[in-house]
Amino acid sequence: MLSSLPDKRTGKNTRYGMEDAALSAFSVFFTQTPSFLAYQRLMEGRKGHSNAQSLFGVHQIPSDNQIRALLDPVKPEQIFPIFTEIVQVLEQKGQLKSFRSFGDTLLMAMDGTEYFASSQIHCPHCSTRHLKSGETQYFHSVVTPVIVCPTQSHVIPLVPEFVVPQDGHDKQDCENAAAHRWLLKYGERYSALNMTILGDDLYCHQPLCQQILAQQFNFILVCRPQSHTTLYEHLEGIALPTVTTKRWTGNVEETYTYRYLNGVPLKDSDDALLVNWCELTVSHGDGKVVYKNSFATNYLISDDTVVQIVLAGRTRWKVENENNNTLKTKGYNLEHNFGHGKQYLASFLATLNILSLSFHTLLELLDEKYKLLRSHLPTRKTFFDDLRALTRYLYFESWDHLLTFM
């Protein structure tokens, strides 16, 4: 796939292939080593070969500036099919079964996150905001759908949807519009896996909920009183069905109080979509409330299902903690400006970065040696520190050689 990336060069200066540029960039994200390519150029000069060649299939290593120039014109959509292939492999290997949750569905959490901001550097695909200082800030953001599960520490990133100016639209693009586009583009493909969409209050509005249903998905979405006044008016003065459970944390007993009601309007209109509402309040013995949240869903709620529906809805936090925050704070450095470019470079590099997390997840689920290493090394940081040191000084003929050595 990478060998078929469009090449905008028209002259004879084609020493480095597009595949080499993409794989070289990917290697930096996968190893979490900003200097990985510099080390491999030195190794190639000394030994005649490098880990960039043996581990990543790079034929010749371009310079950093050459990589940026070659990849800038390439739309990230060119490599989106890789996400689908990863999901297909996991399904074929039976790994998706362990991710199935309420209603035997896969929970797919959607969330937007920023990955670039600057008051000086910008491109035609930047979004803008005006600061109180009068300064204009340019930024990039992306909606990151992720398969999550309450009992799984891993998440499976799916095809992202970038928030970018849209042709023929005067209004600035936003997370909600990007989520609409994702559903239109990929709904048919992923709905076949029997999925339930999770999201924060931003997603809990009638047009998006109707589109979710039209694409054959279910939904469990955060539903806050501040933005759903009509719905909450229908809850007033009613003895709501209530389920109460208690849980000992090891330090304190917590009381979980679930309330719910089926068939309430999502907005104030004759054509309002009827949804089913539920709420969880967690409190201590002294009455102190330590957690409270509510959700709207198309699932019929009962005393038997409310606990599992709320558990599924709460799992949406994993898209932030296990995906977006991991990409930003656990070595992938998503918010670092690896190269902004004038066209698509920022979003293409962000896609490679998200893909690197996907491949690490794939390895941890399927490769026994990788799984053994990650379970015995104390932290993620230790693993990548070792990976950096080993690939800097030693040559490995293959990934199996490297993992066996480790």
Side-chain angles (χ1 to χ4, degrees), residues 19-300:
E19 183 178 20
D20 285 342
L23 288 172
S24 295
F26 177 75
S27 70
V28 171
F29 300 128
F30 188 86
T31 60
Q32 297 190 3
T33 312
S35 302
F36 177 77
L37 295 176
Y39 297 152
Q40 301 314 306
R41 292 186 192 103
L42 290 172
M43 181 180 288
E44 186 175 4
R46 293 195 310 268
K47 301 182 179 181
H49 49 229
S50 73
N51 292 309
Q53 297 168 335
S54 60
L55 301 183
F56 294 97
V58 178
H59 300 95
Q60 296 187 78
I61 307 173
S63 69
D64 293 353
N65 286 337
Q66 287 167 325
I67 292 171
R68 295 186 184 101
L70 288 170
L71 297 181
D72 191 22
V74 183
K75 295 181 179 180
E77 290 86 346
Q78 295 288 335
I79 56 175
F80 281 0
I82 301 174
F83 288 94
T84 303
E85 291 181 17
I86 290 174
V87 173
Q88 288 173 344
V89 169
L90 290 172
E91 185 178 24
Q92 291 165 4
K93 298 292 185 180
Q95 290 293 325
L96 291 188
K97 291 179 182 178
S98 63
F99 279 84
R100 293 203 173 272
S101 185
F102 177 76
D104 198 34
T105 66
L106 293 173
L107 303 178
M108 184 185 74
M110 301 184 79
D111 191 34
T113 189
E114 287 187 22
Y115 61 94
F116 169 83
S118 174
S119 57
Q120 281 131 20
I121 301 171
H122 58 92
C123 70
H125 301 290
C126 281
S127 300
T128 59
R129 59 176 156 242
H130 300 289
L131 307 179
K132 290 182 179 179
S133 62
E135 192 176 44
T136 297
Q137 188 176 57
Y138 304 92
F139 66 96
H140 283 280
S141 59
V142 58
V143 171
T144 54
V146 173
I147 294 175
V148 298
C149 178
T151 59
Q152 287 278 356
S153 60
H154 306 101
V155 300
I156 304 172
L158 301 178
V159 177
E161 180 65 31
F162 288 92
V163 179
V164 294
Q166 301 295 302
D167 292 337
H169 291 258
D170 295 330
K171 191 175 179 180
Q172 181 161 277
D173 196 26
C174 64
E175 181 180 340
N176 203 272
H180 274 277
R181 290 198 303 274
W182 191 96
L183 288 166
L184 288 172
K185 292 178 184 177
Y186 309 110
E188 183 177 354
R189 178 186 307 166
Y190 287 108
S191 64
L193 293 174
N194 189 19
M195 285 188 161
T196 297
I197 291 183
L198 312 178
D200 61 21
D201 188 74
L202 177 69
Y203 293 80
C204 192
H205 295 281
Q206 182 150 325
L208 189 55
C209 289
Q210 287 179 320
Q211 190 171 348
I212 290 171
L213 295 173
Q215 298 294 329
Q216 306 300 310
F217 291 99
N218 300 293
F219 64 82
I220 304 173
L221 306 170
V222 173
C223 180
R224 299 194 183 282
Q226 299 89 335
S227 50
H228 295 88
T229 53
T230 299
L231 186 152
Y232 277 85
E233 286 172 2
H234 280 74
L235 304 176
E236 294 176 0
I238 300 176
L240 297 174
T242 302
V243 174
T244 301
T245 64
K246 294 187 181 295
R247 184 176 304 173
W248 178 252
T249 67
N251 297 311
V252 66
E253 185 179 66
E254 293 182 337
T255 300
Y256 283 61
T257 304
Y258 301 85
R259 301 193 303 158
Y260 66 91
L261 188 65
N262 293 309
V264 289
L266 194 55
K267 66 174 185 175
D268 184 15
S269 69
D270 294 336
D271 64 344
L273 178 69
L274 296 182
V275 297
N276 306 318
W277 173 91
C278 55
E279 174 192 78
L280 168 63
T281 303
V282 182
S283 57
H284 288 169
D286 59 2
K288 179 182 178 182
V289 174
V290 295
Y291 176 86
K292 187 173 184 177
N293 208 351
S294 50
F295 304 89
T297 178
N298 66 307
Y299 286 112
L300 188 67

